[in-house]
Amino acid sequence: MPMSHHSHSGEFCNHGENTLQEVVQAAFARKMEVFVLTEHMPREQQDLYPEEIAKGLMEKDLAETFDKYYKEATRLQKEFQNSRIEILIGTEIDWIRPLSKDWIKSLLNRYRFDLFLGSVHHVHAVPIDYDDSTYVKAREISGGSDERLFEDYFDLQYEMLRALQPPIVGHFDLIRLKSKHSDEDLRHWTGVWQRILRNLDFIANYGGVLELNSAALRKGLKEPYPRSEVCKEFLAMKGRFTIADDSHSVNQLGTNYVHLLKFAEDTGIPNITYFKRGPQTFDQRFPNVIIEAISLPELQAKDFFR
């Protein structure tokens, strides 16, 4: 069951490459069996990225682009519906501030998604994974230390979790990316670790799934999102994991998946969860989408990973 539950394309993401059709065709050619489309949700004018501002884009442009994405995703899902790959339609939401709740729920009501990813890319309304300068700006607002910024990040994530209960939680500890402490054990900061445990407990209790995200490896981190100590705690809570490449182009499909599965094995994760169409539902918000699991050894034996 080769899969990815987190993907983007250059057609609908300014920092991506390739059309959505090219991405799906490549996933099919590489024998993926479940592939979830999760283009970024449109954001408000005040939250445009520098690359979007430089292109002269406005809030309405992002909304129009997203509408085109949904239509193209629907077309591709129908085109591949009788093939060996299952295409699910979703979005990656971005919780920026408490008022994000209304913006996001309006989006979820407007489109019929199969699922969505719950992510945090901003702290104090400042991007924390865009570049070093914005990370430093967010850190300064938090009081000047990575420890305080990490605490603020996980507090904001907790707001998002409580408000939305996302089926999949995207790159749980993304805050590590631009930090000088990116490869350090998160347990060495007591306040940060307490917040992590709180968030994990909430996710486990409502039945959310953590993605093992290989993009961290592609970007130079030693471990994927989330780190092993986080995964072990979630596993002890009987939490579930899926896998994702967070690809933004054809070339990034399945990147570092062999290393990702070895990480899962070393961490003691026995099964990998995946989403698919089915007669029941895992969540009343998403009719006819179910959750199943495949054992790690069975997944590792697939041709995709050889």
Side-chain angles (χ1 to χ4, degrees):
M1 187 60 62
M3 66 191 86
S4 181
H5 290 72
H6 189 164
S7 66
H8 303 278
S9 72
E11 186 174 2
F12 302 110
C13 175
N14 281 293
H15 52 278
E17 298 177 6
N18 304 109
T19 65
L20 190 61
Q21 177 168 308
E22 288 170 340
V23 170
V24 171
Q25 287 174 335
F28 177 81
R30 297 179 191 185
K31 299 183 179 179
M32 287 231 180
E33 296 176 32
V34 173
F35 196 70
V36 186
L37 311 180
T38 57
E39 297 289 10
H40 292 285
M41 62 171 262
R43 284 162 282 103
E44 297 177 83
Q45 187 69 34
Q46 61 186 321
D47 298 318
L48 297 187
Y49 283 104
E51 64 194 25
E52 294 164 338
I53 295 172
K55 291 182 177 180
L57 298 177
M58 304 291 286
E59 178 183 311
K60 65 178 181 62
D61 298 312
L62 270 61
E64 290 172 0
T65 295
F66 192 84
D67 194 59
K68 292 176 182 177
Y69 153 64
Y70 186 80
K71 291 175 181 176
E72 176 65 355
T74 300
R75 184 188 70 80
L76 289 167
Q77 186 180 56
K78 291 178 180 177
E79 179 180 330
F80 285 86
Q81 65 182 354
N82 294 317
S83 71
R84 54 177 164 75
I85 189 171
E86 179 134 29
I87 303 297
L88 297 182
I89 303 173
T91 183
E92 182 178 14
I93 66 94
D94 195 1
W95 186 272
I96 300 174
R97 58 183 64 83
L99 290 176
S100 297
K101 178 180 178 179
D102 293 337
W103 184 266
I104 293 166
K105 288 200 168 183
S106 174
L107 186 76
L108 296 177
N109 288 331
R110 191 178 314 141
Y111 299 98
R112 185 172 180 176
F113 296 114
D114 294 315
L115 55 82
F116 70 92
L117 297 175
S119 298
V120 174
H121 298 94
H122 299 69
V123 180
H124 308 302
V126 179
I128 48 84
D129 65 327
Y130 183 75
D131 59 23
D132 292 337
S133 64
T134 52
Y135 179 86
V136 169
K137 181 178 179 181
R139 185 175 62 193
E140 289 174 350
I141 298 173
S142 283
S145 73
D146 280 21
E147 182 177 6
R148 295 286 87 79
L149 179 59
F150 277 45
E151 289 179 354
D152 291 344
Y153 169 85
F154 286 110
D155 281 342
L156 192 65
Q157 184 183 70
Y158 188 54
E159 284 183 10
M160 180 270 293
L161 295 171
R162 292 181 65 188
L164 301 174
Q165 297 189 8
I168 301 175
V169 181
H171 35 57
F172 179 84
D173 50 5
L174 177 67
I175 190 64
R176 294 192 289 124
L177 180 60
K178 297 297 182 180
S179 170
K180 293 181 180 179
H181 305 279
S182 59
D183 291 315
E184 295 179 13
D185 193 318
L186 291 165
R187 290 172 291 191
H188 76 285
W189 284 328
T190 302
V192 172
W193 188 244
Q194 289 174 343
R195 287 165 170 79
I196 287 173
L197 294 179
R198 174 199 62 194
N199 293 11
L200 292 176
D201 181 67
F202 188 84
I203 296 166
N205 280 329
Y206 79 75
V209 177
L210 283 189
E211 64 167 9
L212 297 175
N213 186 316
S214 68
L217 303 175
R218 171 166 51 84
K219 295 180 179 182
L221 276 64
K222 293 180 180 179
E223 293 189 354
Y225 309 118
R227 280 184 52 84
S228 57
E229 65 270 16
V230 176
C231 293
K232 289 175 181 177
E233 288 292 341
F234 194 57
L235 191 61
M237 298 174 184
K238 302 188 184 305
R240 297 176 293 186
F241 299 86
T242 191
I243 60 173
D245 52 32
D246 198 353
S247 56
H248 285 67
S249 69
V250 165
N251 291 335
Q252 293 175 359
L253 287 171
T255 302
N256 289 307
Y257 261 21
V258 172
H259 300 295
L260 188 70
L261 294 194
K262 182 62 167 60
F263 170 85
E265 180 181 359
D266 292 344
T267 306
I269 297 171
N271 302 299
I272 297 298
T273 293
Y274 60 93
F275 293 71
K276 62 178 290 186
R277 304 288 294 179
Q280 304 298 320
T281 182
F282 74 97
D283 186 321
Q284 293 301 321
R285 297 174 295 178
F286 308 102
N288 303 315
V289 178
I290 62 175
I291 295 179
E292 295 190 349
I294 183 172
S295 72
L296 193 60
E298 186 179 356
L299 183 58
Q300 290 171 314
K302 295 283 187 176
D303 289 342
F304 183 92
F305 299 102
R306 293 182 177 278

